[in-house]
Amino acid sequence: MASHGADTPRNVSGPASVNEAGRQYTDASAQGAPRYSKHERVADGAVHVMGLALVLGACFYLLGRVPQASPAGIVPALGLYAVGMATSFGCSAAYNLAPAGPFKALLRRFDHAAIFLMIAGTYTPIALLAIGGTWGWAVLAIVWTGAGLGATIKLLAPGRFERASLIAYLALGWVCLAALPRLIEMLTPPQFGLLVLGGVLYSLGVLLHLSTRLPYHNALWHLSVLIAAGFHYALVLSITAV
């Protein structure tokens, strides 16, 4: 899992410049983000609007299908998962759709911090309901501790440790490898496939995020995150099937 709101400013030669793809940018260091072309912004905005609508609908469906007599732990686990996913996609939409200015810089802090919340939230039902036992609680403790530290740094020290943050997102996303034998034992092959596909797509999506010279790279990056989240959502639905 990785950042779907993180951005890497491009080099500019002055207050405004145009790169090889014809994009115009203001001073990226002032805003913490490059300025994309109109068509790129529209494409990225469409991905965010569609993604946020799908995520909110999916969260309501997930929580609404849980029976009142469900086993202990299911509702809190799914609640944290839904909150993490909705918060992350909501903050990403708010930040990426906001006009340039001081408020956008504030939204960027919450956007990047919320990614850690989504990672930990996604792990919660997987760790408690799929891995289970001591291994499940150990994985959950590691992920939530790391996510808490990462989110705090993003909120209090914005714009610093950007490369380290990408590594942290990926590292937390693959903590489950420590419990790989347990996952193979507890998950069916299709469930395990959904887990791996989501993780791989999150990780490969980082290449799109870093391919700043690729037209529409930001929209493609966010789309890959949405699809990856869909794989993990299908997994969560499967392990909580009644």
Side-chain angles (χ1 to χ4, degrees):
M1 301 174 194
S3 161
H4 62 83
D7 42 58
T8 304
R10 301 176 177 89
N11 291 328
V12 292
S13 57
S17 63
V18 179
N19 75 346
E20 293 85 342
R23 303 184 185 89
Q24 184 178 5
Y25 306 97
T26 56
D27 184 359
S29 63
Q31 303 297 340
R35 176 174 293 177
Y36 296 99
S37 71
K38 178 181 178 180
H39 294 301
E40 288 177 307
R41 293 196 304 272
V42 169
D44 192 46
V47 171
H48 275 92
V49 171
M50 175 186 67
L52 185 57
L54 289 173
V55 164
L56 292 177
C59 289
F60 280 117
Y61 173 75
L62 179 67
L63 296 174
R65 70 194 288 270
V66 179
Q68 292 184 348
S70 59
I74 287 186
V75 173
L78 294 183
L80 287 171
Y81 168 61
V83 168
M85 187 162 60
T87 300
S88 185
F89 278 91
C91 288
S92 180
Y95 165 60
N96 284 278
L97 295 177
F103 186 60
K104 187 180 182 73
L106 177 63
L107 289 174
R108 185 173 188 260
R109 298 190 188 196
F110 288 99
D111 174 32
H112 291 190
I115 296 165
F116 284 107
L117 179 61
M118 179 177 173
I119 294 172
T122 301
Y123 258 107
T124 302
I126 296 173
L128 294 182
L129 307 178
I131 300 176
T134 303
W135 272 108
W137 283 106
V139 167
L140 205 59
I142 293 171
V143 172
W144 274 102
T145 299
L149 291 173
T152 300
I153 292 173
K154 282 299 182 181
L155 290 172
L156 300 181
R160 301 182 62 185
F161 315 114
E162 293 298 307
R163 297 293 180 179
S165 296
L166 280 179
I167 296 173
Y169 293 138
L170 291 171
L172 282 178
W174 288 104
V175 163
C176 63
L177 290 178
L180 185 58
R182 178 72 173 174
L183 281 169
I184 294 175
E185 175 188 356
M186 300 303 295
L187 296 179
T188 65
Q191 289 174 334
F192 187 76
L194 289 171
L195 177 65
V196 173
L197 281 173
V200 169
L201 190 53
Y202 274 127
S203 301
L204 291 179
V206 174
L207 297 178
L208 288 172
H209 163 62
L210 296 176
S211 300
T212 55
R213 295 181 184 274
L214 176 69
Y216 298 95
H217 88 99
N218 212 35
L220 292 172
W221 162 232
H222 290 133
L223 181 61
S224 72
V225 169
L226 180 61
I227 296 172
F231 282 128
H232 285 164
Y233 177 78
L235 169 62
V236 173
L237 277 180
S238 177
I239 63 179
T240 58
V242 293

